[in-house]
Amino acid sequence: MAEDQRAGEHMAEGASATEPARDATQISTQPVSLVTWTLATFDTALFVLLGVLAAHASGGLADLLAGLNTLVGVAVFCYLWALFVLAVRWIHRRVSLDSAGVGTLALHGAAAGSVAGVVFLLGLFVVALVPTLQSGGVRLQAVLLVLLIGAGVAAVVGGVVGLLASLLDIAVYGLAGHLLPEAGSEWVTEPRRR
């Protein structure tokens, strides 16, 4: 986001002949901004809510919940939330919600969503299939074929979800900037200068 980008520019400006600019590992250890946390949490909660409502409308929610327990549900939610945080952080480090065009943000959202979709699928595969593969219940070739096809589908679905989430984030961010009161000469949604 803008504060992350400004921090990176400030670090590069602070470099001198005796003190080099911070490298990428130091920049990546910066704390995640409040806007990034907020948008990622909003996106995750909305995504899960829409999934639960769709499962309920189709009548499959009872069967789905019967096979889960609280720990599994919380673990899946936290894993999904971490992926949304990483995706939103990746986008905000490259483009600013304040100044970037809708097309640029949507393209970055689709790219981040595609990667997050594939990583989510890989995580589910690891948890579900490693014990089965170790016991010899499934052939490795079948798993790789399903994984290959699933990765393609997950990339497309994740890209669509990322695109829609980025468009929604742009709208929510803009709405917050117009509805919240001004703090001096700055909008509340803009990062404060130190």
Short mmCIF file of all heavy atoms in Angstrom, two decimals, residues 52-127:
data_model
loop_
_atom_site.label_atom_id
_atom_site.label_comp_id
_atom_site.label_asym_id
_atom_site.label_seq_id
_atom_site.Cartn_x
_atom_site.Cartn_y
_atom_site.Cartn_z
N VAL A 52 -20.74 -20.33 2.83
CA VAL A 52 -21.70 -20.96 3.75
C VAL A 52 -23.13 -20.74 3.26
O VAL A 52 -23.95 -21.67 3.29
CB VAL A 52 -21.49 -20.41 5.18
CG1 VAL A 52 -22.64 -20.80 6.09
CG2 VAL A 52 -20.18 -20.90 5.75
N LEU A 53 -23.43 -19.53 2.79
CA LEU A 53 -24.78 -19.27 2.27
C LEU A 53 -25.07 -20.11 1.04
O LEU A 53 -26.19 -20.63 0.88
CB LEU A 53 -24.96 -17.78 1.97
CG LEU A 53 -25.05 -16.86 3.18
CD1 LEU A 53 -25.11 -15.40 2.75
CD2 LEU A 53 -26.23 -17.22 4.05
N ALA A 54 -24.10 -20.26 0.16
CA ALA A 54 -24.30 -21.10 -1.04
C ALA A 54 -24.50 -22.56 -0.64
O ALA A 54 -25.36 -23.25 -1.21
CB ALA A 54 -23.10 -20.96 -1.97
N ALA A 55 -23.74 -23.05 0.34
CA ALA A 55 -23.91 -24.43 0.80
C ALA A 55 -25.27 -24.62 1.47
O ALA A 55 -25.92 -25.66 1.29
CB ALA A 55 -22.79 -24.81 1.76
N HIS A 56 -25.70 -23.61 2.21
CA HIS A 56 -27.01 -23.70 2.87
C HIS A 56 -28.13 -23.68 1.83
O HIS A 56 -29.09 -24.47 1.94
CB HIS A 56 -27.18 -22.53 3.85
CG HIS A 56 -28.53 -22.49 4.50
ND1 HIS A 56 -28.96 -23.46 5.38
CD2 HIS A 56 -29.56 -21.62 4.37
CE1 HIS A 56 -30.18 -23.17 5.79
NE2 HIS A 56 -30.56 -22.06 5.18
N ALA A 57 -28.03 -22.82 0.83
CA ALA A 57 -29.07 -22.73 -0.19
C ALA A 57 -29.17 -24.01 -1.01
O ALA A 57 -30.26 -24.39 -1.45
CB ALA A 57 -28.80 -21.54 -1.11
N SER A 58 -28.05 -24.69 -1.20
CA SER A 58 -28.07 -25.94 -1.97
C SER A 58 -28.48 -27.14 -1.12
O SER A 58 -28.68 -28.23 -1.65
CB SER A 58 -26.71 -26.20 -2.60
OG SER A 58 -25.76 -26.54 -1.60
N GLY A 59 -28.57 -26.96 0.18
CA GLY A 59 -28.96 -28.04 1.07
C GLY A 59 -27.81 -28.92 1.52
O GLY A 59 -28.03 -29.91 2.20
N GLY A 60 -26.61 -28.58 1.15
CA GLY A 60 -25.46 -29.41 1.49
C GLY A 60 -24.73 -29.00 2.76
O GLY A 60 -23.73 -29.61 3.12
N LEU A 61 -25.21 -27.96 3.44
CA LEU A 61 -24.50 -27.47 4.62
C LEU A 61 -24.53 -28.47 5.76
O LEU A 61 -23.53 -28.66 6.45
CB LEU A 61 -25.08 -26.13 5.07
CG LEU A 61 -24.35 -25.41 6.19
CD1 LEU A 61 -22.92 -25.09 5.77
CD2 LEU A 61 -25.07 -24.14 6.58
N ALA A 62 -25.64 -29.13 5.97
CA ALA A 62 -25.74 -30.08 7.07
C ALA A 62 -24.76 -31.23 6.88
O ALA A 62 -24.09 -31.66 7.83
CB ALA A 62 -27.17 -30.61 7.18
N ASP A 63 -24.67 -31.75 5.66
CA ASP A 63 -23.72 -32.84 5.39
C ASP A 63 -22.28 -32.39 5.56
O ASP A 63 -21.45 -33.13 6.08
CB ASP A 63 -23.92 -33.39 3.98
CG ASP A 63 -25.29 -34.03 3.79
OD1 ASP A 63 -25.86 -34.50 4.81
OD2 ASP A 63 -25.79 -34.04 2.65
N LEU A 64 -22.00 -31.17 5.12
CA LEU A 64 -20.64 -30.63 5.24
C LEU A 64 -20.26 -30.45 6.70
O LEU A 64 -19.17 -30.84 7.13
CB LEU A 64 -20.52 -29.31 4.49
CG LEU A 64 -19.19 -28.58 4.57
CD1 LEU A 64 -18.11 -29.40 3.87
CD2 LEU A 64 -19.29 -27.21 3.97
N LEU A 65 -21.15 -29.87 7.47
CA LEU A 65 -20.86 -29.62 8.89
C LEU A 65 -20.80 -30.91 9.70
O LEU A 65 -20.10 -30.96 10.71
CB LEU A 65 -21.89 -28.67 9.49
CG LEU A 65 -21.84 -27.23 8.96
CD1 LEU A 65 -22.95 -26.41 9.59
CD2 LEU A 65 -20.49 -26.60 9.22
N ALA A 66 -21.52 -31.94 9.27
CA ALA A 66 -21.49 -33.21 10.00
C ALA A 66 -20.11 -33.85 9.94
O ALA A 66 -19.70 -34.54 10.87
CB ALA A 66 -22.54 -34.16 9.44
N GLY A 67 -19.38 -33.60 8.86
CA GLY A 67 -18.06 -34.20 8.71
C GLY A 67 -16.93 -33.35 9.27
O GLY A 67 -15.78 -33.77 9.22
N LEU A 68 -17.23 -32.19 9.77
CA LEU A 68 -16.20 -31.30 10.31
C LEU A 68 -16.33 -31.16 11.81
O LEU A 68 -17.37 -31.44 12.39
CB LEU A 68 -16.31 -29.91 9.67
CG LEU A 68 -16.05 -29.80 8.17
CD1 LEU A 68 -16.28 -28.36 7.71
CD2 LEU A 68 -14.64 -30.23 7.84
N ASN A 69 -15.27 -30.69 12.41
CA ASN A 69 -15.34 -30.29 13.82
C ASN A 69 -14.83 -28.86 13.92
O ASN A 69 -14.35 -28.29 12.94
CB ASN A 69 -14.58 -31.26 14.72
CG ASN A 69 -13.10 -31.32 14.39
OD1 ASN A 69 -12.50 -30.34 13.95
ND2 ASN A 69 -12.49 -32.47 14.61
N THR A 70 -14.92 -28.29 15.09
CA THR A 70 -14.56 -26.89 15.27
C THR A 70 -13.10 -26.64 14.94
O THR A 70 -12.77 -25.65 14.28
CB THR A 70 -14.86 -26.45 16.72
OG1 THR A 70 -16.24 -26.71 16.99
CG2 THR A 70 -14.57 -24.98 16.91
N LEU A 71 -12.23 -27.52 15.37
CA LEU A 71 -10.80 -27.33 15.13
C LEU A 71 -10.47 -27.31 13.64
O LEU A 71 -9.71 -26.46 13.18
CB LEU A 71 -10.00 -28.42 15.84
CG LEU A 71 -8.48 -28.32 15.74
CD1 LEU A 71 -8.00 -27.01 16.35
CD2 LEU A 71 -7.82 -29.49 16.42
N VAL A 72 -11.07 -28.21 12.89
CA VAL A 72 -10.84 -28.23 11.44
C VAL A 72 -11.38 -26.96 10.79
O VAL A 72 -10.72 -26.36 9.94
CB VAL A 72 -11.47 -29.50 10.81
CG1 VAL A 72 -11.43 -29.44 9.30
CG2 VAL A 72 -10.78 -30.75 11.32
N GLY A 73 -12.56 -26.55 11.20
CA GLY A 73 -13.15 -25.33 10.64
C GLY A 73 -12.31 -24.10 10.92
O GLY A 73 -12.07 -23.27 10.03
N VAL A 74 -11.83 -23.98 12.15
CA VAL A 74 -10.98 -22.83 12.50
C VAL A 74 -9.66 -22.90 11.76
O VAL A 74 -9.15 -21.88 11.28
CB VAL A 74 -10.76 -22.78 14.03
CG1 VAL A 74 -9.69 -21.78 14.41
CG2 VAL A 74 -12.08 -22.43 14.73
N ALA A 75 -9.09 -24.08 11.62
CA ALA A 75 -7.82 -24.22 10.91
C ALA A 75 -7.97 -23.84 9.44
O ALA A 75 -7.11 -23.13 8.89
CB ALA A 75 -7.30 -25.65 11.04
N VAL A 76 -9.04 -24.28 8.79
CA VAL A 76 -9.26 -23.93 7.39
C VAL A 76 -9.49 -22.42 7.26
O VAL A 76 -8.96 -21.77 6.35
CB VAL A 76 -10.44 -24.72 6.80
CG1 VAL A 76 -10.84 -24.20 5.43
CG2 VAL A 76 -10.08 -26.19 6.70
N PHE A 77 -10.28 -21.84 8.16
CA PHE A 77 -10.51 -20.40 8.12
C PHE A 77 -9.20 -19.63 8.30
O PHE A 77 -8.95 -18.67 7.57
CB PHE A 77 -11.52 -19.97 9.19
CG PHE A 77 -11.80 -18.48 9.15
CD1 PHE A 77 -12.75 -17.98 8.27
CD2 PHE A 77 -11.13 -17.61 9.98
CE1 PHE A 77 -13.01 -16.62 8.22
CE2 PHE A 77 -11.38 -16.25 9.94
CZ PHE A 77 -12.33 -15.75 9.06
N CYS A 78 -8.38 -20.02 9.25
CA CYS A 78 -7.10 -19.32 9.49
C CYS A 78 -6.16 -19.46 8.30
O CYS A 78 -5.47 -18.50 7.94
CB CYS A 78 -6.44 -19.85 10.76
SG CYS A 78 -7.29 -19.34 12.27
N TYR A 79 -6.14 -20.64 7.69
CA TYR A 79 -5.31 -20.85 6.50
C TYR A 79 -5.78 -19.95 5.36
O TYR A 79 -4.98 -19.28 4.69
CB TYR A 79 -5.35 -22.32 6.11
CG TYR A 79 -4.54 -22.69 4.90
CD1 TYR A 79 -3.19 -22.36 4.80
CD2 TYR A 79 -5.12 -23.39 3.84
CE1 TYR A 79 -2.45 -22.71 3.68
CE2 TYR A 79 -4.37 -23.75 2.73
CZ TYR A 79 -3.05 -23.41 2.65
OH TYR A 79 -2.32 -23.75 1.55
N LEU A 80 -7.08 -19.91 5.15
CA LEU A 80 -7.64 -19.05 4.11
C LEU A 80 -7.38 -17.58 4.42
O LEU A 80 -7.02 -16.80 3.53
CB LEU A 80 -9.15 -19.33 4.01
CG LEU A 80 -9.90 -18.68 2.88
CD1 LEU A 80 -9.36 -19.14 1.54
CD2 LEU A 80 -11.37 -19.02 2.97
N TRP A 81 -7.52 -17.19 5.67
CA TRP A 81 -7.29 -15.81 6.07
C TRP A 81 -5.82 -15.43 5.86
O TRP A 81 -5.53 -14.33 5.37
CB TRP A 81 -7.69 -15.64 7.53
CG TRP A 81 -7.47 -14.27 8.07
CD1 TRP A 81 -8.13 -13.12 7.71
CD2 TRP A 81 -6.55 -13.90 9.08
NE1 TRP A 81 -7.65 -12.07 8.44
CE2 TRP A 81 -6.67 -12.52 9.29
CE3 TRP A 81 -5.61 -14.61 9.83
CZ2 TRP A 81 -5.92 -11.83 10.23
CZ3 TRP A 81 -4.86 -13.91 10.76
CH2 TRP A 81 -5.03 -12.55 10.95
N ALA A 82 -4.90 -16.32 6.19
CA ALA A 82 -3.48 -16.03 5.97
C ALA A 82 -3.19 -15.84 4.48
O ALA A 82 -2.41 -14.96 4.10
CB ALA A 82 -2.62 -17.16 6.54
N LEU A 83 -3.82 -16.64 3.63
CA LEU A 83 -3.63 -16.48 2.19
C LEU A 83 -4.17 -15.15 1.70
O LEU A 83 -3.55 -14.48 0.86
CB LEU A 83 -4.28 -17.64 1.42
CG LEU A 83 -3.60 -19.00 1.58
CD1 LEU A 83 -4.40 -20.07 0.86
CD2 LEU A 83 -2.18 -18.95 1.07
N PHE A 84 -5.32 -14.74 2.23
CA PHE A 84 -5.87 -13.43 1.86
C PHE A 84 -4.95 -12.30 2.34
O PHE A 84 -4.73 -11.34 1.61
CB PHE A 84 -7.28 -13.24 2.44
CG PHE A 84 -8.39 -13.68 1.52
CD1 PHE A 84 -8.97 -14.92 1.66
CD2 PHE A 84 -8.85 -12.85 0.51
CE1 PHE A 84 -10.00 -15.33 0.82
CE2 PHE A 84 -9.88 -13.25 -0.34
CZ PHE A 84 -10.45 -14.49 -0.18
N VAL A 85 -4.43 -12.41 3.54
CA VAL A 85 -3.51 -11.37 4.05
C VAL A 85 -2.28 -11.28 3.16
O VAL A 85 -1.85 -10.19 2.78
CB VAL A 85 -3.12 -11.65 5.52
CG1 VAL A 85 -1.97 -10.75 5.95
CG2 VAL A 85 -4.31 -11.46 6.44
N LEU A 86 -1.70 -12.41 2.82
CA LEU A 86 -0.51 -12.40 1.97
C LEU A 86 -0.82 -11.85 0.58
O LEU A 86 -0.01 -11.10 0.01
CB LEU A 86 0.08 -13.80 1.87
CG LEU A 86 0.70 -14.35 3.16
CD1 LEU A 86 1.09 -15.81 2.98
CD2 LEU A 86 1.89 -13.51 3.58
N ALA A 87 -1.97 -12.20 0.03
CA ALA A 87 -2.33 -11.70 -1.30
C ALA A 87 -2.56 -10.19 -1.28
O ALA A 87 -2.05 -9.46 -2.14
CB ALA A 87 -3.58 -12.42 -1.80
N VAL A 88 -3.30 -9.71 -0.29
CA VAL A 88 -3.56 -8.26 -0.20
C VAL A 88 -2.26 -7.51 0.08
O VAL A 88 -2.02 -6.45 -0.50
CB VAL A 88 -4.64 -7.97 0.88
CG1 VAL A 88 -4.76 -6.49 1.15
CG2 VAL A 88 -5.97 -8.55 0.46
N ARG A 89 -1.41 -8.07 0.92
CA ARG A 89 -0.11 -7.43 1.20
C ARG A 89 0.73 -7.36 -0.07
O ARG A 89 1.37 -6.36 -0.35
CB ARG A 89 0.62 -8.20 2.29
CG ARG A 89 1.93 -7.56 2.67
CD ARG A 89 2.61 -8.34 3.76
NE ARG A 89 3.80 -7.64 4.20
CZ ARG A 89 4.70 -8.14 5.00
NH1 ARG A 89 4.53 -9.36 5.48
NH2 ARG A 89 5.74 -7.46 5.35
N TRP A 90 0.75 -8.44 -0.85
CA TRP A 90 1.50 -8.45 -2.09
C TRP A 90 1.01 -7.36 -3.04
O TRP A 90 1.81 -6.65 -3.66
CB TRP A 90 1.39 -9.83 -2.75
CG TRP A 90 2.15 -9.95 -4.03
CD1 TRP A 90 3.48 -10.21 -4.17
CD2 TRP A 90 1.62 -9.81 -5.36
NE1 TRP A 90 3.81 -10.24 -5.50
CE2 TRP A 90 2.69 -10.00 -6.24
CE3 TRP A 90 0.35 -9.55 -5.86
CZ2 TRP A 90 2.52 -9.93 -7.62
CZ3 TRP A 90 0.19 -9.48 -7.24
CH2 TRP A 90 1.27 -9.68 -8.10
N ILE A 91 -0.30 -7.22 -3.13
CA ILE A 91 -0.87 -6.19 -4.00
C ILE A 91 -0.50 -4.81 -3.50
O ILE A 91 -0.06 -3.95 -4.27
CB ILE A 91 -2.41 -6.34 -4.09
CG1 ILE A 91 -2.77 -7.64 -4.79
CG2 ILE A 91 -3.04 -5.16 -4.81
CD1 ILE A 91 -4.22 -8.03 -4.65
N HIS A 92 -0.65 -4.57 -2.20
CA HIS A 92 -0.40 -3.24 -1.64
C HIS A 92 1.06 -2.86 -1.69
O HIS A 92 1.39 -1.68 -1.67
CB HIS A 92 -0.92 -3.17 -0.21
CG HIS A 92 -2.41 -3.17 -0.14
ND1 HIS A 92 -3.09 -3.12 1.04
CD2 HIS A 92 -3.36 -3.21 -1.11
CE1 HIS A 92 -4.38 -3.14 0.81
NE2 HIS A 92 -4.56 -3.21 -0.49
N ARG A 93 1.96 -3.81 -1.75
CA ARG A 93 3.38 -3.49 -1.89
C ARG A 93 3.73 -3.06 -3.31
O ARG A 93 4.76 -2.46 -3.54
CB ARG A 93 4.24 -4.67 -1.49
CG ARG A 93 4.19 -4.93 -0.01
CD ARG A 93 5.45 -5.58 0.44
NE ARG A 93 5.39 -5.81 1.85
CZ ARG A 93 6.01 -5.05 2.74
NH1 ARG A 93 6.72 -4.04 2.35
NH2 ARG A 93 5.93 -5.32 4.02
N ARG A 94 2.88 -3.41 -4.26
CA ARG A 94 3.16 -3.09 -5.66
C ARG A 94 2.36 -1.91 -6.18
O ARG A 94 2.84 -1.17 -7.02
CB ARG A 94 2.91 -4.32 -6.53
CG ARG A 94 4.08 -5.27 -6.44
CD ARG A 94 3.73 -6.70 -6.68
NE ARG A 94 4.89 -7.55 -6.49
CZ ARG A 94 5.38 -7.91 -5.31
NH1 ARG A 94 4.82 -7.47 -4.21
NH2 ARG A 94 6.43 -8.69 -5.23
N VAL A 95 1.13 -1.76 -5.75
CA VAL A 95 0.28 -0.68 -6.21
C VAL A 95 -0.44 -0.04 -5.04
O VAL A 95 -0.63 -0.66 -3.99
CB VAL A 95 -0.77 -1.17 -7.25
CG1 VAL A 95 -0.09 -1.63 -8.52
CG2 VAL A 95 -1.63 -2.26 -6.70
N SER A 96 -0.84 1.20 -5.22
CA SER A 96 -1.51 1.94 -4.16
C SER A 96 -3.00 2.05 -4.48
O SER A 96 -3.38 2.34 -5.61
CB SER A 96 -0.89 3.33 -4.06
OG SER A 96 -1.64 4.14 -3.19
N LEU A 97 -3.81 1.85 -3.47
CA LEU A 97 -5.25 2.00 -3.66
C LEU A 97 -5.61 3.45 -3.97
O LEU A 97 -6.62 3.72 -4.60
CB LEU A 97 -6.00 1.56 -2.40
CG LEU A 97 -6.17 0.07 -2.20
CD1 LEU A 97 -6.73 -0.22 -0.83
CD2 LEU A 97 -7.07 -0.52 -3.25
N ASP A 98 -4.79 4.39 -3.52
CA ASP A 98 -5.07 5.81 -3.71
C ASP A 98 -4.89 6.24 -5.16
O ASP A 98 -5.70 6.99 -5.69
CB ASP A 98 -4.14 6.67 -2.86
CG ASP A 98 -4.16 6.31 -1.40
OD1 ASP A 98 -4.54 5.18 -1.08
OD2 ASP A 98 -3.80 7.16 -0.58
N SER A 99 -3.82 5.78 -5.79
CA SER A 99 -3.45 6.36 -7.07
C SER A 99 -3.50 5.39 -8.25
O SER A 99 -3.51 5.83 -9.39
CB SER A 99 -2.04 6.95 -6.97
OG SER A 99 -1.13 5.93 -6.59
N ALA A 100 -3.51 4.11 -8.02
CA ALA A 100 -3.50 3.15 -9.13
C ALA A 100 -4.87 3.07 -9.78
O ALA A 100 -5.90 3.27 -9.13
CB ALA A 100 -3.08 1.77 -8.63
N GLY A 101 -4.88 2.78 -11.05
CA GLY A 101 -6.14 2.64 -11.77
C GLY A 101 -6.84 1.35 -11.41
O GLY A 101 -6.23 0.40 -10.91
N VAL A 102 -8.12 1.31 -11.72
CA VAL A 102 -8.92 0.13 -11.41
C VAL A 102 -8.38 -1.09 -12.17
O VAL A 102 -8.30 -2.19 -11.62
CB VAL A 102 -10.40 0.38 -11.76
CG1 VAL A 102 -11.23 -0.88 -11.61
CG2 VAL A 102 -10.97 1.49 -10.89
N GLY A 103 -7.99 -0.90 -13.42
CA GLY A 103 -7.46 -2.01 -14.22
C GLY A 103 -6.21 -2.60 -13.62
O GLY A 103 -6.04 -3.83 -13.58
N THR A 104 -5.32 -1.75 -13.14
CA THR A 104 -4.07 -2.23 -12.53
C THR A 104 -4.35 -3.01 -11.26
O THR A 104 -3.79 -4.09 -11.06
CB THR A 104 -3.15 -1.03 -12.22
OG1 THR A 104 -2.90 -0.31 -13.42
CG2 THR A 104 -1.84 -1.48 -11.60
N LEU A 105 -5.22 -2.48 -10.42
CA LEU A 105 -5.56 -3.17 -9.18
C LEU A 105 -6.30 -4.48 -9.46
O LEU A 105 -6.05 -5.49 -8.80
CB LEU A 105 -6.41 -2.27 -8.29
CG LEU A 105 -5.64 -1.15 -7.60
CD1 LEU A 105 -6.59 -0.11 -7.04
CD2 LEU A 105 -4.74 -1.69 -6.52
N ALA A 106 -7.17 -4.47 -10.44
CA ALA A 106 -7.91 -5.69 -10.78
C ALA A 106 -6.97 -6.76 -11.32
O ALA A 106 -7.09 -7.94 -10.98
CB ALA A 106 -9.01 -5.38 -11.78
N LEU A 107 -6.02 -6.36 -12.14
CA LEU A 107 -5.05 -7.32 -12.69
C LEU A 107 -4.18 -7.91 -11.58
O LEU A 107 -3.97 -9.12 -11.54
CB LEU A 107 -4.17 -6.63 -13.74
CG LEU A 107 -3.14 -7.51 -14.43
CD1 LEU A 107 -3.84 -8.61 -15.22
CD2 LEU A 107 -2.27 -6.67 -15.35
N HIS A 108 -3.72 -7.07 -10.67
CA HIS A 108 -2.93 -7.57 -9.53
C HIS A 108 -3.78 -8.48 -8.64
O HIS A 108 -3.31 -9.49 -8.12
CB HIS A 108 -2.36 -6.41 -8.72
CG HIS A 108 -1.12 -5.83 -9.31
ND1 HIS A 108 -1.15 -4.93 -10.35
CD2 HIS A 108 0.18 -6.02 -9.01
CE1 HIS A 108 0.08 -4.59 -10.67
NE2 HIS A 108 0.92 -5.24 -9.86
N GLY A 109 -5.06 -8.11 -8.45
CA GLY A 109 -5.96 -8.93 -7.64
C GLY A 109 -6.19 -10.30 -8.26
O GLY A 109 -6.19 -11.32 -7.56
N ALA A 110 -6.36 -10.34 -9.59
CA ALA A 110 -6.54 -11.62 -10.27
C ALA A 110 -5.28 -12.48 -10.17
O ALA A 110 -5.37 -13.69 -9.93
CB ALA A 110 -6.92 -11.38 -11.73
N ALA A 111 -4.11 -11.86 -10.32
CA ALA A 111 -2.86 -12.62 -10.22
C ALA A 111 -2.66 -13.17 -8.81
O ALA A 111 -2.33 -14.35 -8.63
CB ALA A 111 -1.67 -11.73 -10.61
N ALA A 112 -2.87 -12.32 -7.81
CA ALA A 112 -2.71 -12.78 -6.42
C ALA A 112 -3.74 -13.84 -6.07
O ALA A 112 -3.44 -14.81 -5.37
CB ALA A 112 -2.82 -11.59 -5.46
N GLY A 113 -4.97 -13.67 -6.56
CA GLY A 113 -6.01 -14.67 -6.31
C GLY A 113 -5.69 -16.00 -6.95
O GLY A 113 -5.96 -17.06 -6.37
N SER A 114 -5.12 -15.98 -8.15
CA SER A 114 -4.75 -17.24 -8.81
C SER A 114 -3.71 -18.00 -8.01
O SER A 114 -3.84 -19.20 -7.80
CB SER A 114 -4.20 -16.95 -10.21
OG SER A 114 -5.20 -16.46 -11.04
N VAL A 115 -2.70 -17.29 -7.56
CA VAL A 115 -1.66 -17.95 -6.75
C VAL A 115 -2.25 -18.45 -5.44
O VAL A 115 -1.97 -19.58 -5.02
CB VAL A 115 -0.48 -16.98 -6.51
CG1 VAL A 115 0.51 -17.57 -5.53
CG2 VAL A 115 0.20 -16.64 -7.83
N ALA A 116 -3.06 -17.63 -4.79
CA ALA A 116 -3.66 -18.04 -3.51
C ALA A 116 -4.58 -19.25 -3.70
O ALA A 116 -4.61 -20.15 -2.85
CB ALA A 116 -4.44 -16.88 -2.90
N GLY A 117 -5.30 -19.32 -4.81
CA GLY A 117 -6.16 -20.47 -5.07
C GLY A 117 -5.37 -21.76 -5.22
O GLY A 117 -5.74 -22.79 -4.67
N VAL A 118 -4.26 -21.69 -5.94
CA VAL A 118 -3.43 -22.88 -6.11
C VAL A 118 -2.78 -23.28 -4.79
O VAL A 118 -2.74 -24.47 -4.44
CB VAL A 118 -2.36 -22.64 -7.21
CG1 VAL A 118 -1.37 -23.78 -7.26
CG2 VAL A 118 -3.03 -22.45 -8.56
N VAL A 119 -2.30 -22.30 -4.02
CA VAL A 119 -1.68 -22.61 -2.73
C VAL A 119 -2.70 -23.20 -1.77
O VAL A 119 -2.40 -24.13 -1.01
CB VAL A 119 -0.99 -21.36 -2.13
CG1 VAL A 119 -0.53 -21.60 -0.71
CG2 VAL A 119 0.18 -20.94 -3.01
N PHE A 120 -3.94 -22.69 -1.80
CA PHE A 120 -4.99 -23.25 -0.95
C PHE A 120 -5.25 -24.71 -1.32
O PHE A 120 -5.34 -25.58 -0.44
CB PHE A 120 -6.27 -22.43 -1.10
CG PHE A 120 -7.38 -22.89 -0.20
CD1 PHE A 120 -7.35 -22.64 1.16
CD2 PHE A 120 -8.47 -23.57 -0.71
CE1 PHE A 120 -8.36 -23.07 2.01
CE2 PHE A 120 -9.50 -24.00 0.12
CZ PHE A 120 -9.44 -23.75 1.47
N LEU A 121 -5.34 -24.98 -2.60
CA LEU A 121 -5.55 -26.36 -3.05
C LEU A 121 -4.39 -27.26 -2.64
O LEU A 121 -4.60 -28.38 -2.16
CB LEU A 121 -5.73 -26.41 -4.57
CG LEU A 121 -5.88 -27.80 -5.16
CD1 LEU A 121 -7.24 -28.38 -4.79
CD2 LEU A 121 -5.70 -27.77 -6.66
N LEU A 122 -3.16 -26.78 -2.80
CA LEU A 122 -1.99 -27.58 -2.41
C LEU A 122 -2.01 -27.89 -0.91
O LEU A 122 -1.67 -28.99 -0.50
CB LEU A 122 -0.71 -26.86 -2.79
CG LEU A 122 -0.41 -26.76 -4.28
CD1 LEU A 122 0.83 -25.93 -4.52
CD2 LEU A 122 -0.29 -28.14 -4.90
N GLY A 123 -2.40 -26.91 -0.11
CA GLY A 123 -2.49 -27.14 1.33
C GLY A 123 -3.52 -28.21 1.67
O GLY A 123 -3.28 -29.08 2.52
N LEU A 124 -4.67 -28.14 1.01
CA LEU A 124 -5.70 -29.16 1.25
C LEU A 124 -5.22 -30.54 0.80
O LEU A 124 -5.47 -31.54 1.46
CB LEU A 124 -7.00 -28.79 0.53
CG LEU A 124 -7.74 -27.57 1.06
CD1 LEU A 124 -9.00 -27.33 0.25
CD2 LEU A 124 -8.07 -27.72 2.53
N PHE A 125 -4.52 -30.58 -0.34
CA PHE A 125 -3.99 -31.85 -0.84
C PHE A 125 -2.99 -32.45 0.14
O PHE A 125 -3.01 -33.66 0.40
CB PHE A 125 -3.34 -31.67 -2.21
CG PHE A 125 -4.22 -32.10 -3.34
CD1 PHE A 125 -5.18 -31.24 -3.85
CD2 PHE A 125 -4.09 -33.36 -3.91
CE1 PHE A 125 -6.00 -31.63 -4.88
CE2 PHE A 125 -4.90 -33.76 -4.95
CZ PHE A 125 -5.86 -32.89 -5.44
N VAL A 126 -2.11 -31.62 0.65
CA VAL A 126 -1.09 -32.12 1.58
C VAL A 126 -1.76 -32.71 2.82
O VAL A 126 -1.42 -33.82 3.26
CB VAL A 126 -0.10 -31.01 1.96
CG1 VAL A 126 0.75 -31.40 3.15
CG2 VAL A 126 0.78 -30.66 0.76
N VAL A 127 -2.72 -31.99 3.37
CA VAL A 127 -3.37 -32.46 4.59
C VAL A 127 -4.21 -33.71 4.33
O VAL A 127 -4.21 -34.65 5.13
CB VAL A 127 -4.25 -31.34 5.19
CG1 VAL A 127 -5.14 -31.86 6.30
CG2 VAL A 127 -3.37 -30.21 5.69
#
